[in-house]
Amino acid sequence: MNEFAITSEGLCRDFGALHALDGLSIRVPAGSVYGFLGPNGAGKTTTIRLLLGLLEPTAGRAEVLGYDTRTQAAAIRERCGALLEHTGLYERLSAEDNLEFYGRIYHLSAPERAERIRTLLSHFGLYERRADKVGTWSHGMRQKLAVARAMLHRPPLIFLDEPTSGLDPIASAELRGDLSSLASKEGVTVFLTTHNLAEAEKLCHEVAVIRQGRLLAQGTLAELRARSGLPRLEVNGSGFTPELLQSLRARPEVASAEVQDGRLVLELQRDAESAPLVTMLVAGGAEVAEVRRAETSLEDLFLSMMEEQP
Amino acid sequence: MIADIATVFWKEWREIAAWGRLRSKLGILILTGVFGIFMPLQEGRGWIENPAYLVMWAWMPLYLVSGTIADAVAGERERHTLETLLASRLADSAILLGKMAAGATYGLALTWINVLVGMITVNIAFSSGSLLVYQPAVLAAMLIFSLLTAVLAAGVGVLVSLRAATARQAQQTLSMTMLLFLLVPIMSTQFLPAASQAQLSQALEGLDPLQAGLTVGGMLLVVDVLLILAALARFKRARLILD
């Protein structure tokens, strides 16, 4: 098996004068959950369409599971599951018929189809409503069914476009658990787009951030943090006087010191120790109730990238 | 390939069967009431014995197929199911042919239900002891022509559906097309000079039925093949995604 489930080199796609995707080069490790993040209109859907061979690139190339998207698209689609922008479910049909149809498409045998459909519907808590027309279901239930459909034929790679959209917090957490275990236990690669950055932070081994068709950053969360943010120390308490802040700012390991909402926030230089700073605060007359070393969140990283000039 | 066409065919039929709209069910009942009961009662034994009704049975699939095939692509696009289907392993041709086959067989099935109900009606009302059945040649012609026109409607329908933004728009365009298809030949003869009309009538009467049937059938077959080829050329993933 290849080390990477997806690789792309300078992938471009133009729609007339619009550069929907501009030189995208990514590497998605096999067996990982890969988050593909970007604001609306960034080129996420176009990327999925190109990777599934639904569109031809204007320039560049991509390989999915070792197959060229331009010349071997059928082989790619044979081996992938997908939940795209819309659930793509047939609302006049029952949940069972929807899965039966896709089971037939992927040539699962009749007993295998029956077993997979029962297992997946039970797993997602939909089995009791299997005979109901999908059109009568809630958005969350449909979303779960669409995820089940993408997993039906046990593909080694699944594309999921906003899979937890419309799910309640419990269902979202369960789905995150499922996706995580798919990757860790079954070696399935999950290519995930989401606007929920907290979710991506919990779930993704690596992320890529795109804006206006251009890749802004790619890597593990730790790598992105190392590239763009400094560690922070948050201190809850009182007595953070201007003189004390002045003394803190004078220290070489402190990049900045501010009081925000009654809380002292220190931005530290890399590898700075926090204990001497706490000692200094106490010695300076501050009352320290809680000290927390905060990592830069993915949301902070994402927002700072979006604020940068294109 | 055949298995994939059968899979799409299965799904299309499930959708047709599950389409619980009262209006469509009522439409089928009215159709059967008119062509299976009312008209046979009016026409008597002639309903089975007069080969001129062959034209009507050949026309019926055009009307019936166009009602369902309009939904084939435009409906899937409208309900956002097309892209997921295109992202599956199915070949373009399997999706297209499966949809066309389902639309055509739906029209054929309803046509033949009406033929059968009409035959039962005539036998109940007008039989004098012996069973009234179609002549084998007429029956064969009915089978062949209804099949050819069903495929014709499926071909035209899928091409219209590919271009339409919504299923309703496709249905309206298709209804107009079918109406023109029927009315133009009939109306155009009305504008011919009386002498030409008489000549045409004489020529039609003098035609050998077998030869005429083969000629029309051959022409329909050619048109059907051309329509299928045109639909296959138009039904391409990359194009449909961009549509």
Side-chain angles (χ1 to χ4, degrees):
Chain A
M1 192 176 169
N2 287 343
E3 187 186 351
F4 296 105
I6 301 171
T7 55
S8 77
E9 300 289 337
L11 202 60
C12 296
R13 175 68 205 201
D14 298 341
F15 295 108
L18 174 77
H19 302 301
L21 209 60
D22 194 359
L24 182 79
S25 298
I26 55 169
R27 286 177 167 204
V28 178
S32 69
V33 181
Y34 190 87
F36 200 58
L37 316 174
N40 291 334
K44 301 190 294 293
T45 303
T46 302
T47 303
I48 292 181
R49 286 173 173 175
L50 286 166
L51 294 176
L52 281 169
L54 296 173
L55 287 176
E56 284 219 353
T58 313
R61 64 187 302 274
E63 273 190 11
V64 175
L65 301 170
Y67 297 98
D68 189 292
T69 57
R70 214 187 275 260
T71 56
Q72 296 168 301
I76 293 170
R77 288 192 290 267
E78 177 119 31
R79 290 159 180 81
C80 291
L83 160 60
L84 304 174
E85 201 177 357
H86 300 282
T87 58
L89 295 166
Y90 294 96
E91 299 196 347
R92 294 174 197 163
L93 300 185
S94 67
E96 215 167 19
D97 279 350
N98 268 281
L99 295 186
E100 173 73 20
F101 176 48
Y102 275 86
R104 286 174 185 231
I105 285 178
Y106 288 97
H107 295 170
L108 301 185
S109 66
E112 201 180 354
R113 282 200 303 270
E115 185 270 323
R116 280 298 280 165
I117 291 171
R118 193 176 50 248
T119 305
L120 285 167
L121 288 181
S122 303
H123 180 81
F124 284 104
L126 303 170
Y127 192 70
E128 296 304 315
R129 304 269 315 261
R130 66 190 181 281
D132 293 358
K133 284 184 184 177
V134 170
T136 64
W137 281 16
S138 70
H139 177 74
M141 289 168 77
R142 288 184 218 181
Q143 196 72 8
K144 284 191 217 173
L145 182 62
V147 174
R149 185 199 55 213
M151 296 174 175
L152 184 69
H153 57 293
R154 301 179 200 275
L157 172 60
I158 301 179
F159 290 93
L160 298 173
D161 198 348
E162 299 280 345
T164 54
S165 136
L167 295 186
D168 59 60
I170 296 169
S172 296
E174 281 172 0
L175 182 60
R176 276 199 298 274
D178 288 336
L179 296 177
S180 197
S181 102
L182 264 179
S184 61
K185 291 182 187 157
E186 296 181 37
V188 173
T189 309
V190 180
F191 186 95
L192 174 97
T193 74
T194 179
H195 285 115
N196 187 337
L197 298 170
E199 175 178 282
E201 191 161 10
K202 284 179 197 158
L203 188 59
C204 299
H205 301 107
E206 285 198 23
V207 295
V209 182
I210 63 165
R211 184 182 58 182
Q212 292 174 0
R214 287 190 183 171
L215 185 69
L216 298 182
Q218 179 184 207
T220 62
L221 218 52
E223 285 168 347
L224 295 192
R225 280 196 188 106
R227 239 179 280 167
S228 50
L230 293 172
R232 290 193 314 171
L233 199 67
E234 293 177 4
V235 185
N236 282 327
S238 58
F240 306 129
T241 59
E243 295 76 32
L244 196 51
L245 290 180
Q246 197 97 30
S247 317
L248 282 167
R249 287 179 192 130
R251 291 185 68 108
E253 69 266 47
V254 178
S256 72
E258 301 289 338
V259 177
Q260 294 173 3
D261 303 325
R263 198 175 44 163
L264 176 65
V265 179
L266 301 172
E267 209 167 45
L268 307 179
Q269 300 295 354
R270 220 155 279 296
D271 304 325
E273 297 265 342
S274 28
L277 297 170
V278 177
T279 309
M280 183 185 167
L281 282 170
V282 174
E287 282 191 15
V288 176
E290 186 190 14
V291 178
R292 197 161 66 92
R293 198 172 172 115
E295 297 270 33
T296 312
S297 70
L298 182 58
E299 187 167 358
D300 293 334
L301 290 173
F302 181 81
L303 291 175
S304 73
M305 280 183 226
M306 291 303 120
E307 280 164 11
E308 286 166 15
Q309 289 300 310
Chain B
M1 176 72 167
I2 299 293
D4 290 342
I5 293 172
T7 295
V8 178
F9 181 86
W10 175 87
K11 190 276 287 179
E12 292 291 317
W13 264 100
R14 295 294 286 190
E15 277 208 289
I16 291 170
W19 201 1
R21 272 173 49 177
L22 187 65
R23 215 176 69 180
S24 60
K25 285 179 177 166
L26 208 62
I28 293 169
L29 277 178
I30 291 170
L31 188 86
T32 310
V34 172
F35 291 95
I37 298 168
F38 179 73
M39 285 179 71
L41 287 176
Q42 294 289 307
E43 295 300 314
R45 298 169 71 97
W47 187 251
I48 289 175
E49 288 167 355
N50 186 354
Y53 284 113
L54 178 64
V55 178
M56 189 192 69
W57 295 121
W59 162 82
M60 192 174 274
L62 278 179
Y63 163 76
L64 290 168
V65 174
S66 63
T68 52
I69 200 76
D71 197 58
V73 183
E76 290 239 18
R77 192 188 290 130
E78 201 178 349
R79 293 188 292 276
H80 304 294
T81 52
L82 187 61
E83 189 173 4
T84 303
L85 187 62
L86 296 175
S88 76
R89 56 162 294 283
L90 289 175
D92 295 349
S93 51
I95 298 173
L96 177 77
L97 295 175
K99 283 178 173 295
M100 286 179 70
T105 51
Y106 170 78
L108 277 175
L110 283 184
T111 300
W112 283 91
I113 285 171
N114 278 294
V115 169
L116 198 68
V117 172
M119 214 162 77
I120 292 168
T121 304
V122 171
N123 271 285
I124 290 170
F126 304 103
S127 172
S128 51
S130 60
L131 192 67
L132 291 165
V133 288
Y134 287 97
Q135 289 169 27
V138 174
L139 197 65
M142 277 161 64
L143 269 172
I144 293 166
F145 278 99
S146 57
L147 176 66
L148 288 170
T149 53
V151 175
L152 177 86
V156 174
V158 90
L159 283 169
V160 169
S161 188
L162 274 163
R163 287 171 182 276
T166 62
R168 181 178 281 269
Q169 190 191 355
Q171 214 147 21
Q172 285 168 347
T173 311
L174 209 49
S175 299
M176 287 301 292
T177 310
M178 291 306 165
L179 207 62
L180 288 174
F181 186 79
L182 286 169
L183 291 182
V184 166
I186 298 166
M187 299 296 284
S188 57
T189 56
Q190 304 298 312
F191 295 104
L192 288 174
S196 303
Q197 280 188 32
Q199 264 182 334
L200 183 68
S201 171
Q202 213 170 4
L204 287 173
E205 279 167 18
L207 276 178
D208 172 23
L210 180 66
Q211 202 180 2
L214 285 173
T215 308
V216 175
M219 283 162 65
L220 276 173
L221 184 65
V222 171
V223 174
D224 283 355
V225 171
L226 289 175
L227 281 170
I228 292 171
L229 291 175
L232 284 170
R234 176 67 177 77
F235 195 95
K236 296 286 177 215
R237 269 183 166 80
R239 200 164 170 185
L240 289 166
I241 290 286
L242 293 175
D243 282 348

